[in-house]
Amino acid sequence: MRILIAEDNALLRAGLTMLVNGEGIEVAAAVDNPDDVLTAFDEHEVDGAVLDVRMPPTFTNEGLRAALEMRRRKPAFPVLVLSAYVEDTYAAKLLGDGASGVGYLLKERVGDVGEFVAALRRVVDGGTAMDPEVIAQLVSRRDADDPVRRLTPREREVLSLVAQGMGNAAISEQLVVTEAAVGKHIGNIFSKLDLAPHDAGHRRVLAALAYLRS
């Protein structure tokens, strides 16, 4: 796997590079601003990108805009954005195109190497990796027509864990229920979100995106 890293903090940029290199992931370029990451994106064949949301010159949403531009140039290009804060508006924009391969994690998650690398690999493979705190804020913004409102509280709980990238076994362990019960909840979720069986290969991602999208 080859990735790009965009992080203006030199120490964190070097730390991220060392961290993923230690996991066998090649860093094609590690830059400190959105212009350079777009240049590197055009110059290198990479499988995904890790970007800080706030970068120079305004330190507002440059990283997110770079992520959206990469996905405009190459639809569904996997991007994992990092932020020190829960910036739900930016997360909603990133999810707005309905494509897979997106992640939004708080920087404090990087401290858990195993969790971070697993999230990065999941995003590159076309899945999602959303921070639970980001999910909570996105859900609080829902309107009355949102199909997710058809779900029971338990089904929402299961779907929240799916959106975090957890498999059925991990969800059953988290909720202390059988995998069969988790499978039944997920089947009900697919039905209530009108995800047809022919979408079988992508229904978990589509369900997660429906849940996360504002």
Side-chain angles (χ1 to χ4, degrees):
M1 182 194 304
R2 300 179 81 227
I3 66 168
L4 301 175
I5 291 176
E7 166 60 58
D8 64 287
N9 182 294
L11 186 60
L12 184 53
R13 186 170 66 252
L16 283 170
T17 300
M18 291 179 60
L19 187 156
V20 298
N21 281 340
E23 297 295 326
I25 299 171
E26 180 182 354
V27 177
V31 301
D32 63 1
N33 65 82
D35 290 337
D36 284 352
V37 75
L38 290 176
T39 299
F41 176 73
D42 290 334
E43 292 178 348
H44 300 280
E45 287 290 333
V46 292
D47 302 302
V50 177
L51 306 98
D52 185 11
V53 169
R54 296 183 176 184
M55 289 193 289
T58 69
F59 295 96
T60 55
N61 60 1
E62 285 84 355
L64 178 73
R65 286 190 290 165
L68 293 172
E69 175 60 22
M70 284 191 284
R71 289 170 71 87
R72 187 190 69 79
R73 297 181 187 184
K74 186 177 181 180
F77 177 72
V79 292
L80 174 59
V81 297
L82 301 174
S83 177
Y85 311 96
V86 179
E87 301 172 271
D88 54 335
T89 299
Y90 299 151
K93 287 182 179 178
L94 182 63
L95 295 165
D97 61 8
S100 59
V102 293
Y104 189 118
L105 296 180
L106 296 184
K107 285 186 175 179
E108 63 191 50
R109 309 296 177 193
V110 179
D112 186 324
V113 175
E115 181 179 327
F116 173 73
V117 172
L120 175 59
R121 291 188 185 280
R122 192 162 60 245
V123 168
V124 169
D125 287 341
T128 57
M130 303 300 294
D131 193 283
E133 291 187 37
V134 178
I135 291 172
Q137 290 209 18
L138 288 174
V139 170
S140 70
R141 292 163 18 116
R142 299 196 168 286
D143 59 36
D145 296 329
D146 195 319
V148 174
R149 292 175 69 89
R150 304 170 194 162
L151 305 182
T152 66
R154 190 59 153 180
E155 289 165 352
R156 291 189 189 194
E157 190 175 13
V158 170
L159 187 50
S160 172
L161 297 174
V162 169
Q164 293 174 44
M166 296 176 67
N168 286 14
I171 293 172
S172 70
E173 183 176 350
Q174 172 92 8
L175 300 180
V176 195
V177 298
T178 66
E179 283 194 50
V182 173
K184 183 177 180 180
H185 284 310
I186 290 177
N188 291 339
I189 291 166
F190 289 162
S191 177
K192 291 181 180 179
L193 296 183
D194 300 322
L195 296 174
H198 64 265
D199 291 325
H202 305 286
R203 285 199 293 179
R204 292 181 77 93
V205 171
L206 292 172
L209 290 173
Y211 182 67
L212 296 167
R213 211 176 291 137
S214 61

